[in-house]
Amino acid sequence: RAPPILRRGRVAHEERVWTRRPRRVMVSGPKARFARRSSAKPAASPPPKGTAPDETRASDEENTIPVNTNSTIDPDALDGSVKASEALVKDVAVSGDATSADNEQQVVAEHAPAVTVAGNSASAASSGEAGSLRKSSMASSQAEGSSNEQSTKPNTAVPPTPPPAALEPKVQAPFVTRPGEVPREVMVERFKRLYVAGASELDVLWANVLRGIEETETSGASQTSHVSLLPLALFDDKTLETRDPHSVWLDPSALAAGVRCRVASCFLDAASKSKSFVPKKSEVARATSFLPGILVAGDASADTYDVKLARDGCLVNGVPRIDICFETEDPRLFVARRAAAFSARAETASALRFELAIDSMPTEFRVPSEVSKEMAKRVVANALGGSRKLFQYCNENTHAEAFKQLLVLESERLWCRSMNAIDFRAAGALTGGGGFEKSEHPSPRQTRGNSARGVAHNGTASTSQRGGLNTHTSVTGGGVAFAAALEKFAFITALTKPEAVTCLSLLRTLNLSLTDKKRAFDVLGVTAGKTAQQRPFTLDQFIEHQRRHASEVAGFVKNEWRSGVKNAVVQSFQECGKGHYNLCEKNRDAFEFSKMKRFLKRTQTQMEDALRSLTETSVAEFSVFMTDAMRADGITIASTNNVTVEWVDGSEKSKGQGVTLPGGQDNRISNQNLPPLFRFEMTIDQGGAPVVDKYGKHGKVPPSFLYTVDLNLFVDSILSLFDFGAGITTGVKTLDPAVMKHLHWTFWPDCASVSAGDPLVLGARENLQNVLQGATALLREYLTKYAEYVPLLRLDVSEETSRLRERRTGEDEDARLGSYLESIDHHELCLREILERVPHEIHVGCFLIDASKVRQTLVQKRETLIEKTKGLIAEAPRKLCDTINKQFTELLTRLELQRDTPEAIQAFRDLGETVPRFCVEQMLVFDETRPFYDALRAALKNLSDEDNAAKATAQFWPAKIRHALRAQTESALQEALKFEEDQLGAQEIFESTTRELIERVDELSELSDMSLTTEFAKRVEQLDAELRNATQHAVVFNRREGVFGKKATDYSNIRATRDAFDPFHKFWTYARDWQVNRTSWWNTPFYGLDATHMDATVSDAFKVMFKMGKAFTTRKLPLQVKNCESIRNELEAFQKYVPLCLALRSPGMRQRHWERISSETGLNVPGTEESTSTEPSTNTEEEVQITSVFSLETLVETGAFETHTQDKMFKVSEVAGKEYAIEQAIDKMVSEWDGIVLEVVEYRETETCVIRVDEAITQALDDHIVMTQAMSFSPFKKPFEAKILEWERTLGMTSEVLDEWLVFQRAWMYLEPIFGSDDIIEQLPLEGKRFAAVDRTWRKTLLRAKSTPGVLTMCDDRNLLEQFRDANRVLDGVQKGLAEYLETKRLAFARFFFLSNDELLQILSQTKNPLAVQPHLRKCFEAISSLDFEDDLTIVAMNSAEGEKVPFAERMKPKGAVEVWLGEVERVMKKSCRHSVVESLVDYLQRPRVEWVTHWPAMTVLGVSATHWTSSTETAIVGKSLTPWYNENVAQLDALTDMVRGKLPGQHRKTLGALITIDVHSRDTLSLLQSQNVTALTDFDWVAQLRYYWEQRSSQLGPAVKDDDGDDDEDEEAGDEKDDEKDGETVDPENQHRTGDLWCNMVQASLPFGYEYLGNQPRLVVTPLTDRCYMTLMGAMHLNLGGAPAGPAGTGKTETTKDLAKGLAMQCVVFNCSDGLDYLAMAKFFKGLASSGAWACFDEFNRIDIEVLSVVAQQLLTIQNAMKSGVSKFVFEGREMRLQHSFAVFITMNPGHAGRSEL
């Protein structure tokens, strides 16, 4: 229903007549709207600058539609209001668009009626409009005349920027007005007036419609009373929208200018004066008036608007579109649209009431029995699909029977409702249709049809653009009036003046001069001019030169050339005077209609053409020049010094490319014989900046080679230069203001220029960019040739020297020297290579690469390494010489030491004897330096002065030492004679002294007076000192006599004298000590008595006196014996006081003990100094008053040593000792904990700490707790009971806190890296918040522990204990949530079930780093050890642990969650393996087998080889040619054997090993078939083999053949028939390998090839027992069961299962069972197996406990039942999960072994 655009006909006004034409047939409804939408075309763009009116006719924002110029409308269809507005709508073609906004830019004229209204145009127009029309007509006619002359030149007239579309009516008319047409601005203004007039009638129009609706509702008030409760906006037909709300009504510029509108009063609350008004959706959507307002804002998606009312400034929010009429839209169309919404709402309400009435009718009546039976039969038949098996099952199953009854009841209910509806309609027909029929209101489709024709509910016609006025013209026939045509041509053309022709000639000369001689780029200068001598240029030089040249040309164009053109025009027409070429014209209107205007326009067009030609030529020439200069084809970069150029002889490339200039000239500008265009300098980036690699490791940027000019900057600079040169013609002013100086010009326009978006410029720029990219690619490729020198840049000379020195430390000198020489040879070889291969300069295409600095740096580094290594060679002998010199210097110093004693002379003699051997040893060491010095001479390395001096000194040391030894020997001889004479005199004196000492010792036997004990003690002590001195002198004299070579003198009398003296010495010294101590102990205050020292001294003295008594008795000295007996008796008498003193002076005695002694014995014994008092005791009167110092004597006098008193004191002392032990133990424990602190250490990069509790701390804590508990049971604990209890509490609290702390720490350390990942936080927000709260607690606690690390100080805190317990409870909940999260991840990617929680969390916590998955791939996939990632993380290949690489058939990026892209890896892995098999099937037939096996992955070789062997064997069986096929097999095996014997890469050798194993079994199988005389494919000996077929049926992996009919059952039957007919079928990979899949058959079992990547693993040798195992296991899997190989250990049960998995390319997970396995772990494993479709081999299955095995059996039964049901999902352990039917479980057992369960 889109309106047409009506085009005007250019005829005389009097020829315009009214005509009548039938309306076109309209198509309405949804199908029509869909057709219009589907035929949408791109919107037409506004006309470009300079486009002539004939070429493009612009429209408004909704674009125009082709116009039917002959369409008319019957004037009788127009009402009075239309006729009244005819004066405003004359000579104008308009259209009102009632289609939706999405149809605004579509061409749908064929679906709409064309409306044309003709009328009198000029006569009825207002005078103002007529004047403007006449002016526009004149200008247009002149412009048309000018365009006829210059039809090939574009018209550059640009319309002014239109106002916002919302402020103008929708008028479909061209922006550029032709002569005789009404200007668009006039049409817009007329429709504005028309719509303003219609807006004043809006209330009247709507009131008429509303009266009709109210009359209808009055007739059916009981039925329509609730219609208004439905929001009217829901029924608004959006297809009637004329404009796009977003781009028109809500355009920001329109809102800023103010869009006027009218709002239905139903949305206004008269009582509310609020500035903001929000309407209720349930409000009755009627209005008797529309209030004016201004649109403020709106929501285009909701189609609601915010309007500010004009009456009081209130803001109405959310006004629906159906309740707002804009000032620039047709009000009559708005009224029709609103009426259509009312009708649609009424129709909807009627339908709702009708359905409600039907639902409210009773349905309790019975269905007739015959109907019920037939209905039940049909329901059951349809539900069961006609299956007899299902029908029988339903009859036998009670649940199915109940469900069938429910279906029957539901069908009966629906039957009753249908009967009610029939009865209701029949009743309505009988009563005259009042009821609830849907025909009460017109349908929305009818309403839309009426609104499209402009008819409202009251029957009045509406005038709109659709029903607007148009002119109709016809051209009368007749002959051609030549005179009139000539007159018209003369009026239009500008060439009637000679001045015009002259001016055009001058202009042509100027333009040709510009286009021929000027260029924006100086291409010729850099190839053949003086500038070319400066080649090669640096980038800055080239850019500066070209920019300077382009600026000069731009200045010439804008100044000299433009001035020349202006002068040519002025000089040519300055004499013309008044008329068409009046340069002094002052009237703007006259100028606009003059020929001068058209001539200036033509001149401007020629100027623009010249500027365009200049730009095009310059751009093309520069592009071709750069293309020729930077050509990269034919350039081969072999190495750093080998860049070859091979031009194609005879082609354009060898001749050089050029530019075809205007005029047909072919001016070729060749760069081949010129120096390179650019000069680049290479340099070295030393690196060192911190960087993080793709593995997340921190490091530094390594050194690298680069150019001083960044290559990307080079490309950008050249492109920027190109843009600058291409834009030099921008900004050239036109001539009009410069020539017509007498006119007033408001602005000075520019000439049109070639824009940056011009196709020519874009093409040239793109071509230049490609050329530059190719040239810079060459530079990058050349730069890669220096990659071999990057290790040299990375090498640190000092580190390399240190490494070389340290590496050779443990070697002998020869090996060290050899390694140094090898290193020098290596560096010299590398240096020669650098000098040969690194050039100073080299040509790479158009670039001269200056590599001199790089060459110099590399040479210097190698030379430095050589010199440093030579220095290491010189360092070794230097160290040896330094050691020799040091040893000889020390020897010489010792030889020249001063000899002032005979011992020194003897030491000199001993040293002299070692000198000869020492010299020989040092010279041998020096000989080790000779190879180093020889090597240095050979290497032309001069020794330094220090090295020469050290070498010379070391050489001449032996002679110097021998000379010094001779001199010192002579001097020592003289010194020895002198010392001998001196000693003879000393010995004579010593003899007399010795005799005197003997006499004095003999006199000691006469001493016996005990009163002189002190004097005698001093005497014997002096004699003891003299005897010691004499003994020492005797030793010295004997030693020196040995030096002099004399016999030693006998001084044994001195020792005998010493032995005789010792008894006297001990007796008198001990006797003196006893007398002194006894007095001291007897009178010393008791509190200061040292009882321990007393005990030791008395015991020791008693023993000595006993021994001395015996000695004196032997010597018969009775007086001395008597003295000994006397002292011994005194000691024995005193010993009875010692025990009590020890008891009373025990350190455990406290005041309470003294008080107890006093109370029990009645004695007041002061234990301390403070307890000593001069006051009398408060006890009994018999107690002794202490008036002096209390001493041992006092204690004896008090009777304390009586037996009964002494026993009481001993008991108190014993108690004190036990209590003291407890006190000491407690104090010791406390003191030990004072120094024990928690070790608080930083934990990774968490910015917090953890604690380390040493085992010694926990052991000490446990020991102290046990010790304290033991003390608490001690009977002596009472004085310390409170202290013990407090200490026990402290230790217990500390132990509990430490236990909870360590539990907390373990959980926190486990969870911290997990919740440190943003991905985990996003997935577990609740657990993340809980952990964050606990983490804050942890950090605060550790901060406190770091400040106060004492164990007791920190841990003796009950609040801390409760805090830790709460935190552990929270972390338990977090771990449960984490476990559920891991379960969801495992369900998303089933192979995660094979990973532990820690491994899975390590992956999930680094989801942003796909490389973190690499270490865990081996557990997820059978053989993938790693993936190959490119720099952008694109995965391109997979690698096995054996080193085999298989490229992916589809490149993929790890996008999304890790479980998602790992699933993609699994898919691409299988796709790649299948692709490899498919391609290899074809390649097997195209190349020799020995060559074929080395071109494909190992698993592909084995699978495809087996497939072709199966095909060939069946062919041989059918053709009865097994013997030739057997011989061919043997030949193939021999060929593989020959390959193995030769040199092969490791991967190929492994592949051939597995292939030979399979081929040997194949050979044995053929031998068996021959011996059994197999002649048919159905023979058991053949079908019992494992066979491979490529079949045209799909597994779950490969692409299936399309099922066009969608009948799955028929396809399955066809597949079964194909299996039955497979006899004799052969593989034809050429035609069939693109579809189908590889299948493995054995007897009746047929299983798909799994395409799991297996790597390059060996295969098991197949024995007859292996074949029987394969057959059994294949049959079990065919029945959806598992296998249980049983047998002794080591017989290959597990390996056979694994090898079958390899044969079928399935993942097989081997799990070693143990008695510690529970059912939860097994359930987790089964989930992974069932979801991924992998195989599992449970080794030693009967080691699991029998209780667990019962649950495992139920779990297996659940999975097997699901597989038998054929479902893709099933419920396992309470969770729904996927099921892959390739799942299989195998168990192996060793029956009869210990610890095994009986199954």
Side-chain angles (χ1 to χ4, degrees), residues 235-309:
F235 305 90
D236 183 17
D237 189 355
K238 304 298 183 181
T239 61
L240 301 179
E241 180 61 67
T242 60
R243 293 189 170 187
D244 179 33
H246 178 72
S247 60
V248 178
W249 306 127
L250 298 178
D251 182 18
S253 59
L255 294 176
V259 179
R260 299 182 180 277
C261 59
R262 288 179 176 267
V263 181
S265 62
C266 65
F267 276 86
L268 302 179
D269 186 358
S272 175
K273 299 301 181 180
S274 173
K275 296 296 181 181
S276 178
F277 177 78
V278 180
K280 298 180 180 178
K281 292 185 178 180
S282 61
E283 188 173 358
V284 179
R286 297 184 181 178
T288 56
S289 62
F290 289 81
L291 302 180
I294 296 178
L295 182 64
V296 176
D299 185 357
S301 60
D303 205 15
T304 58
Y305 302 85
D306 302 337
V307 179
K308 184 176 182 181
L309 298 179

Side-chain angles (χ1 to χ4, degrees), residues 968-1033:
Q968 294 297 326
T969 302
E970 294 176 359
S971 176
L973 183 59
Q974 298 299 326
E975 293 172 353
L977 294 175
K978 181 178 179 301
F979 285 132
E980 186 176 358
E981 294 176 357
D982 294 340
Q983 182 167 328
L984 290 175
Q987 283 181 317
E988 294 176 358
I989 299 172
F990 181 69
E991 288 292 340
S992 61
T993 304
T994 303
R995 288 192 295 270
E996 180 182 355
L997 288 175
I998 293 173
E999 294 175 355
R1000 292 170 62 186
V1001 171
D1002 293 339
E1003 294 174 354
L1004 293 177
S1005 59
E1006 300 177 355
L1007 303 178
S1008 61
D1009 188 358
M1010 294 301 296
S1011 62
L1012 300 176
T1013 300
T1014 302
E1015 180 180 349
F1016 293 159
K1018 291 181 180 179
R1019 183 177 174 180
V1020 296
E1021 285 178 350
Q1022 182 180 0
L1023 187 57
D1024 179 65
E1026 293 177 358
L1027 282 173
R1028 290 178 183 276
N1029 190 22
T1031 303
Q1032 293 177 0
H1033 277 81

Side-chain angles (χ1 to χ4, degrees), residues 1246-1248 1308 1312 1335-1343:
T1246 58
E1247 299 181 358
T1248 185
W1308 180 87
E1312 193 281 332
D1335 184 66
R1336 288 192 294 271
T1337 301
W1338 173 264
R1339 294 177 183 272
K1340 291 179 181 178
T1341 304
L1342 267 294
L1343 188 63

Side-chain angles (χ1 to χ4, degrees), residues 150 245 320 428 459 525 697 868 994 1022 1223 1281 1447 1488 1524 1593 1704 1709:
Q150 306 177 23
K697 297 181 179 179
K868 290 291 184 181
T994 303
Q1022 182 180 0
E1223 182 181 7
E1281 185 172 9
R1593 56 173 175 146
L1704 271 65
V1709 183

Side-chain angles (χ1 to χ4, degrees), residues 151 375 569 790 986 1305 1762 1777:
S151 60
M375 185 184 303
V569 174
V790 172
Q1305 178 168 291
M1777 55 188 300

Side-chain angles (χ1 to χ4, degrees), residues 31-264:
K31 292 184 178 180
R33 289 196 296 275
F34 175 79
R36 291 194 295 276
R37 291 191 182 99
S38 62
S39 62
K41 297 181 180 180
S45 59
K49 295 182 179 180
T51 305
D54 289 340
E55 299 175 9
T56 304
R57 295 172 60 84
S59 67
D60 59 358
E61 69 279 3
E62 284 81 19
N63 300 317
T64 61
I65 303 175
V67 180
N68 184 355
T69 57
N70 297 323
S71 300
T72 60
I73 189 171
D74 189 351
D76 298 335
L78 302 178
D79 62 352
S81 60
V82 176
K83 297 177 181 179
S85 59
E86 285 182 358
L88 300 177
V89 200
K90 295 177 179 178
D91 297 66
V92 181
V94 297
S95 69
D97 193 350
T99 59
S100 62
D102 58 352
N103 292 337
E104 289 179 5
Q105 299 179 358
Q106 302 175 9
V107 180
V108 290
E110 63 273 18
H111 297 301
V115 182
T116 305
V117 181
N120 192 359
S121 63
S123 59
S126 63
S127 60
E129 287 184 341
S132 62
L133 282 172
R134 284 194 297 272
K135 292 179 181 179
S136 176
S137 177
M138 293 174 63
S140 300
S141 62
Q142 292 179 7
E144 183 178 357
S146 175
S147 64
N148 291 334
E149 293 181 11
Q150 306 177 23
S151 60
T152 61
K153 300 297 181 180
N155 188 352
T156 60
V158 181
T161 303
L167 302 182
E168 293 184 353
K170 182 174 180 181
V171 176
Q172 294 181 334
F175 285 100
V176 180
T177 306
R178 287 186 173 184
E181 294 178 344
V182 177
R184 176 184 175 84
E185 294 77 10
V186 176
M187 297 171 63
V188 170
E189 185 60 27
R190 289 178 177 176
F191 273 97
K192 280 185 180 179
R193 298 176 186 176
L194 177 63
Y195 289 169
V196 169
S200 61
E201 303 172 1
L202 185 60
D203 294 343
V204 178
L205 293 173
W206 180 244
N208 295 334
V209 174
L210 195 61
R211 280 195 298 272
I213 295 175
E214 290 175 350
E215 291 173 2
T216 304
E217 292 186 356
T218 302
S219 62
S222 62
Q223 302 170 1
T224 62
S225 58
H226 300 290
V227 173
S228 60
L229 296 179
L230 299 175
L232 185 62
L234 294 179
F235 305 90
D236 183 17
D237 189 355
K238 304 298 183 181
T239 61
L240 301 179
E241 180 61 67
T242 60
R243 293 189 170 187
D244 179 33
H246 178 72
S247 60
V248 178
W249 306 127
L250 298 178
D251 182 18
S253 59
L255 294 176
V259 179
R260 299 182 180 277
C261 59
R262 288 179 176 267
V263 181

Side-chain angles (χ1 to χ4, degrees), residues 1722-1772:
M1722 294 297 294
K1724 171 187 171 184
F1725 212 75
F1726 284 141
K1727 287 179 182 179
L1729 295 172
S1731 300
S1732 63
W1735 292 7
C1737 181
F1738 291 98
D1739 205 9
E1740 306 288 347
F1741 188 71
N1742 52 348
R1743 293 182 62 182
I1744 304 176
D1745 290 339
I1746 192 67
E1747 295 82 3
V1748 178
L1749 286 175
S1750 62
V1751 182
V1752 172
Q1754 185 62 37
Q1755 292 171 343
L1756 273 174
L1757 183 63
T1758 301
I1759 301 176
Q1760 290 178 348
N1761 288 338
M1763 293 179 64
K1764 292 177 181 178
S1765 302
V1767 297
S1768 60
K1769 291 185 178 181
F1770 74 114
V1771 177
F1772 184 79

